[in-house]
Amino acid sequence: MEKSRLKNLYMGLAISICSVLTILFFTEYISFFEDFERKTLDKRFNYRTDYLNKKYKEEFQKIVIIEIDDESAAKLGRISEWPRSYYAKVLDYVNEGGAKQIGFDVLFTENSKNTEDDNLLIESIKKSKNVYSSYYFSSKPGTDDESIRAFSYPFGNELDTAVYWEEYIFPPIPGVTQNSKGIGFINLKQDRDGIVRRIPLFIKHNDKAYPQFAVKMAIDHLGIKKENIRLEKGKYFHFNDMKIPVGEDNQMLVNYAGYYVFRYIPFWKIYEQIVPKEYFQDMTVFIAATAAGAYDLRSTPVKEISPGIEINANAFFTIINKNFVIKLSE
């Protein structure tokens, strides 16, 4: 009887160990092929860069990035010490030139030491009526979502399977939020190998859905209304009759067109009005940091070290041109 009991115990233990080892094997097996698939995807992005440069030559020219770069820092002083009147001046100039959209991939989440400077920027945003501002979610205590709730979408409860984000919000200062045409979060999540290949179009906070920065700009660029956006979980986001493929985590693969395919202009050249303002007629303009010390550097499939604005610009381009990455099975 005792031998039989020990035999059953050992057999149960052996089965348990085999089960665990099997699970671990298949988990690593699947992870290996997922990683392999990601790397082959990266290669495909890089192989067709020349083809896309020819196909979308005119479309690329409609997006311009005003970069807060090392050259601008050398001309205008340390970036962290720039008064917000600098941004107001550039914003006014670009608007006078007839820009279609202007997106600040620059955080104005805190009041500066100079209230007058803040007011100049707020007044410029108010006049323009085409500015998009950014904010972020954090684990550190911030504010609730009341100040940005007007920019939310009603399908938040459908985003239960979305990538988890931090619970606190750091929105732009009130005057910036209230006078922006749109605002969006700039949090990004990298894959296991440190590369950013996908973005969440929306994330859930409380019971509402909030759009990603570049996604909000694309929505308005295409003239899509709130009521015409819905989620088919783990499959598609529907923007009117356009279907944007997403994974089980409801994120979209960014179809990277290449590296530096959009035109970059140093901030100081706009500040000093070297570039004719007419150049910006009907352009979508991003203002973003690319300086080495700006701490917004990422890895993408097409470049090991890249400014974060490259991800936003490529995501925007992917959506407005309906140039989605689609699995063969679809």
Side-chain angles (χ1 to χ4, degrees):
M1 181 67 75
E2 188 65 30
K3 286 184 179 180
S4 177
R5 195 175 299 165
L6 282 172
K7 183 179 179 182
N8 291 336
L9 179 63
Y10 289 142
M11 187 174 293
L13 184 60
I15 291 171
S16 298
I17 291 171
C18 287
S19 299
V20 170
L21 290 174
T22 301
I23 291 169
L24 288 173
F25 172 78
F26 280 106
T27 299
E28 288 302 312
Y29 181 80
I30 292 168
S31 296
F32 170 80
F33 280 100
E34 285 177 346
D35 291 343
F36 179 76
E37 169 62 20
R38 291 188 189 107
K39 293 301 181 185
T40 60
L41 178 66
D42 295 349
K43 291 292 184 185
R44 282 172 272 167
F45 279 136
N46 284 280
Y47 284 148
R48 56 169 203 161
T49 298
D50 290 341
Y51 163 75
L52 291 178
N53 281 334
K54 293 176 183 177
K55 180 178 180 180
Y56 291 109
K57 184 177 180 180
E58 291 184 12
E59 287 82 357
F60 288 151
Q61 293 174 355
K62 294 175 184 176
I63 297 173
V64 62
I65 296 165
I66 297 176
E67 59 174 332
I68 302 168
D69 61 345
D70 293 317
E71 190 179 325
S72 297
K75 293 280 187 178
L76 301 175
R78 185 176 298 184
I79 296 167
S80 62
E81 296 176 1
W82 285 4
R84 286 179 179 167
S85 58
Y86 284 15
Y87 298 103
K89 181 179 177 180
V90 166
L91 176 55
D92 289 342
Y93 188 71
V94 171
N95 262 314
E96 287 169 13
K100 184 173 184 176
Q101 293 177 295
I102 302 169
F104 271 108
D105 191 1
V106 177
L107 293 169
F108 300 119
T109 54
E110 296 180 1
N111 291 306
S112 68
K113 295 177 181 178
N114 190 326
T115 303
E116 187 177 338
D117 262 348
D118 286 352
N119 290 337
L120 283 172
L121 176 60
I122 291 166
E123 190 57 35
S124 292
I125 292 172
K126 186 176 182 179
K127 277 191 306 180
S128 70
K129 297 181 170 53
N130 64 350
V131 168
Y132 294 79
S133 301
S134 54
Y135 66 95
Y136 67 102
F137 289 84
S138 175
S139 59
K140 297 178 181 179
T143 67
D144 57 29
D145 61 1
E146 187 173 344
S147 66
I148 63 170
R149 208 167 174 81
F151 297 96
S152 67
Y153 288 71
F155 50 83
N157 287 329
E158 298 174 43
L159 287 169
D160 293 337
T161 59
V163 173
Y164 174 76
W165 294 103
E166 311 293 0
E167 60 180 312
Y168 296 106
I169 294 177
F170 283 80
I173 59 176
V176 170
T177 298
Q178 292 159 8
N179 292 291
S180 294
K181 184 171 182 181
I183 62 172
F185 65 87
I186 54 172
N187 300 70
L188 294 168
K189 197 157 191 173
Q190 59 196 28
D191 287 333
R192 292 196 326 165
D193 56 4
I195 295 176
V196 179
R197 295 183 178 86
R198 62 195 77 233
I199 63 164
L201 304 186
F202 294 84
I203 63 170
K204 177 183 178 180
H205 190 264
N206 294 331
D207 60 339
K208 297 291 183 180
Y210 290 88
Q212 196 271 349
F213 170 67
V215 173
K216 175 58 181 170
M217 291 182 67
I219 287 169
D220 288 357
H221 187 279
L222 297 170
I224 298 167
K225 296 180 179 179
K226 282 187 178 184
E227 59 268 25
N228 294 327
I229 296 177
R230 66 183 180 86
L231 169 64
E232 189 178 345
K233 267 189 179 181
K235 293 183 178 180
Y236 300 101
F237 263 103
H238 295 262
F239 287 11
N240 289 346
D241 59 350
M242 179 170 68
K243 296 198 307 184
I244 301 178
V246 294
E248 292 181 3
D249 56 5
N250 296 324
Q251 292 196 96
M252 177 191 80
L253 266 171
V254 178
N255 196 347
Y256 286 94
Y259 182 66
Y260 269 63
V261 295
F262 310 109
R263 183 173 180 189
Y264 278 71
I265 304 176
F267 186 95
W268 75 269
K269 289 187 177 181
I270 314 301
Y271 182 81
E272 296 188 3
Q273 301 181 359
I274 292 173
V275 178
K277 60 187 175 185
E278 292 77 19
Y279 173 78
F280 298 101
Q281 181 70 43
D282 295 325
M283 292 276 196
T284 292
V285 179
F286 291 97
I287 301 174
T290 64
Y295 304 108
D296 189 27
L297 301 177
R298 312 274 184 162
S299 291
T300 71
V302 293
K303 191 70 174 176
E304 186 176 357
I305 301 296
S306 173
I309 190 58
E310 278 284 310
I311 300 166
N312 280 312
N314 275 280
F316 176 83
F317 190 84
T318 298
I319 296 172
I320 67 168
N321 289 287
K322 304 178 183 179
N323 192 26
F324 306 116
V325 179
I326 301 172
K327 292 181 181 179
L328 289 176
S329 59
E330 298 176 358

